[in-house]
Amino acid sequence: MNYKDFRCAWIDKKIIWDIADRARDELWAKEKLPIDMEEIIELKLQLNVEPTHGLLNLIDMDAYLKMDLSGIVVDYDSYMEARYANRLRFSLAHELGHYILHKDVYLKLNLTSAEEWKNFIINVPEDEYGDFEWQANEFAGRFLVPHNFLKARLDGVIKLIKQNKELTTYLKKDPDAVLSRVSPVLRKPFGVSEEVIERRLKRENLWPPDF
Amino acid sequence: MSIFLLKLGEILLTSFNCGIIITTKRKLIILQSHGGNGEEEEMFGEFIKRRRVSQGITLREFCRRLNVDASNWSKVERGLLSPPQDEEKLQEIAQVLEIPLNSDSWKELRDSANIDAGLIPKDILSDQQIVNALPMFFRTIRSDKPTQEELEVLIEILRKDKDIEL
């Protein structure tokens, strides 16, 4: 196969959201946040989690889904240290995204040697590679930040903004600046970064809010 | 057809189609069956993982309670490293998994730790095993493809991983 012709099938964001919502309903039938990805990956799906030393330090990798789909390899330090818990949560959700969205692609690609694998990675067009990653990120964000919960939290924040004249003025002038003030509050129950929350609010047309 | 009478604990390596036969106090175990009809016995790692998962204990939590390296323990569960042989450590494992000492499960745990110690393959991973352990896509900080050098480092990490001892 000529890997330069390798293409990522387009999946509309709303389809990805729907898949993520249904996967969450199936795998995390709790109202509890943040979502415990280790419980989902290890205990529900019974995939292996394989902590590996040096993954992040040596090759800048947080995690990856193994080609045979038997488990997820994670950087050892990111796995063990509590300060990386949110990053690990997103990494596992991202790999779950690959597992659900791209399983067929994994199964079809029949590589038989490390040389062939290197050839594949090097020759996959950068844009196509980026699309696979984008889809897995979109899945992970939606999976970890359920829309209804986010909307409810945001409604509470908007009420507070409305009570503060200064913030209301700022919001009209520079919504991104106000977002950077509210995202640290919004992100906490979901156990994700501010970047993830800001992305969700914008992707789901929740920000800037209508006044 | 050949019939062999074995003493308890005796191991017979056969060239027939049923692989390795081991006797224990409780049963005849047929391991590494190569196309025979013999029942495949659960390996130590599989036994531990099954118990751990059924009790809702994640790998990280389990390793914290036991004070063992999670990277190595993950390999023990996947049959890539030998199980611990130290009786005290095996008792600690039993305690975490709420297996009463002197129960059948305890005996199974201890027996399989002893048996598997001699069965963990020491050979180098085959090309296909290496490929199975490699990624198609990676989650990285910079969100783009790794360099050729990084790909080679990853292959090297996987090859070396096989040689680590618990």
Side-chain angles (χ1 to χ4, degrees):
Chain A
M1 182 182 176
N2 183 358
Y3 300 125
K4 285 183 177 161
D5 296 333
F6 189 79
R7 292 288 175 268
C8 174
W10 172 260
I11 311 177
D12 186 82
K13 70 174 183 183
K14 288 190 177 162
I15 294 176
I16 296 178
W17 295 354
D18 183 49
I19 293 171
D21 289 345
R22 282 190 286 128
R24 192 188 327 101
D25 289 346
E26 180 87 14
L27 298 169
W28 190 253
K30 302 176 185 179
E31 293 288 296
K32 195 179 147 202
L33 291 174
I35 293 172
D36 186 340
M37 287 308 300
E38 284 173 81
E39 187 177 322
I40 289 173
I41 298 291
E42 274 203 79
L43 308 182
K44 291 258 169 65
L45 293 171
Q46 303 206 4
L47 293 171
N48 291 322
V49 171
E50 303 179 17
T52 299
H53 290 279
L55 207 60
L56 192 59
N57 275 351
L58 298 173
I59 39 181
D60 182 36
M61 284 180 202
D62 283 274
Y64 69 79
L65 176 64
K66 284 169 72 174
M67 197 79 82
D68 65 3
L69 302 171
S70 64
I72 295 172
V73 177
V74 292
D75 176 67
Y76 183 86
D77 293 331
S78 307
Y79 181 67
M80 293 308 291
E81 290 187 29
R83 66 193 158 121
Y84 298 128
N86 289 348
R87 192 165 180 88
L88 175 71
R89 188 187 333 277
F90 194 87
S91 293
L92 293 176
H94 174 99
E95 299 311 326
L96 177 64
H98 281 311
Y99 184 80
I100 291 175
L101 299 171
H102 306 133
K103 204 172 189 172
D104 290 349
V105 183
Y106 276 76
L107 295 173
K108 272 183 201 158
L109 201 72
N110 187 24
L111 302 175
T112 54
S113 71
E115 274 307 305
E116 212 180 330
W117 172 78
K118 266 196 296 179
N119 188 28
F120 164 72
I121 301 291
I122 287 163
N123 285 299
V124 169
E126 193 84 49
D127 289 348
E128 301 300 320
Y129 182 86
D131 284 350
F132 281 107
E133 291 304 284
W134 173 85
Q135 290 173 359
N137 279 335
E138 192 67 19
F139 174 95
R142 178 76 178 203
F143 189 89
L144 295 175
V145 185
H147 180 85
N148 290 346
F149 284 87
L150 179 61
K151 180 80 172 55
R153 295 275 307 171
L154 181 65
D155 287 347
V157 167
I158 289 170
K159 265 185 200 164
L160 292 175
I161 292 174
K162 279 182 176 168
Q163 288 165 12
N164 183 326
K165 232 179 186 179
E166 205 176 41
L167 270 181
T168 309
T169 312
Y170 288 159
L171 183 65
K172 282 175 188 161
K173 282 185 184 169
D174 190 349
D176 279 0
V178 178
L179 179 56
S180 68
R181 277 173 67 166
V182 301
S183 56
V185 181
L186 284 173
R187 73 166 188 86
K188 279 187 184 163
F190 302 100
V192 296
S193 67
E194 289 158 29
E195 197 186 348
V196 169
I197 281 294
E198 290 179 13
R199 191 171 170 77
R200 290 320 320 146
L201 288 169
K202 289 182 176 180
R203 295 284 298 160
E204 298 185 23
N205 292 324
L206 293 170
W207 194 269
D210 294 327
F211 264 44
Chain B
M1 180 182 175
S2 303
I3 297 172
F4 300 90
L5 289 173
L6 302 176
K7 292 175 189 169
L8 290 178
E10 193 174 1
I11 297 174
L12 173 69
L13 297 169
T14 78
S15 58
F16 307 116
N17 66 355
C18 57
I20 299 168
I21 300 174
I22 297 172
T23 58
T24 70
K25 284 181 184 173
R26 288 168 290 120
K27 53 191 164 187
L28 179 79
I29 302 169
I30 300 175
L31 292 159
Q32 293 187 340
S33 175
H34 304 293
N37 294 324
E39 177 197 347
E40 290 228 17
E41 186 65 13
E42 195 172 45
M43 302 276 287
F44 175 84
E46 293 168 335
F47 172 81
I48 298 295
K49 187 182 173 190
R50 182 172 55 77
R51 293 288 300 223
R52 174 173 71 71
V53 167
S54 73
Q55 286 183 242
I57 306 171
T58 63
L59 175 76
R60 186 159 54 133
E61 180 56 26
F62 186 73
C63 293
R64 278 209 175 122
R65 290 194 207 171
L66 278 178
N67 196 25
V68 294
D69 181 292
S71 175
N72 288 346
W73 191 262
S74 152
K75 292 187 191 83
V76 171
E77 289 192 356
R78 286 178 284 132
L80 298 173
L81 277 184
S82 293
Q85 297 300 300
D86 176 23
E87 179 86 5
E88 204 176 315
K89 185 55 87 183
L90 292 173
Q91 286 184 10
E92 280 175 41
I93 292 167
Q95 198 176 1
V96 172
L97 295 175
E98 295 176 10
I99 295 172
L101 299 184
N102 297 323
S103 64
D104 279 354
S105 292
W106 159 248
K107 284 172 196 158
E108 193 176 342
L109 183 153
R110 202 179 47 186
D111 287 352
S112 62
N114 290 334
I115 292 163
D116 289 2
L119 293 176
I120 303 300
K122 295 285 180 195
D123 54 327
I124 295 164
L125 288 177
S126 70
D127 257 7
Q128 190 57 60
Q129 283 172 307
I130 289 280
V131 170
N132 287 345
L134 287 166
M136 184 181 279
F137 306 108
F138 324 77
R139 174 159 149 74
T140 64
I141 289 170
R142 59 180 199 269
S143 280
D144 55 13
K145 286 201 296 181
T147 61
Q148 178 151 357
E149 195 183 26
E150 287 172 329
L151 299 182
E152 276 156 17
V153 172
L154 179 58
I155 293 169
E156 197 53 31
I157 287 174
L158 293 175
R159 286 197 201 280
K160 275 186 185 163
D161 245 18
K162 190 68 184 67
D163 300 328
I164 295 170
E165 293 294 335
L166 190 68

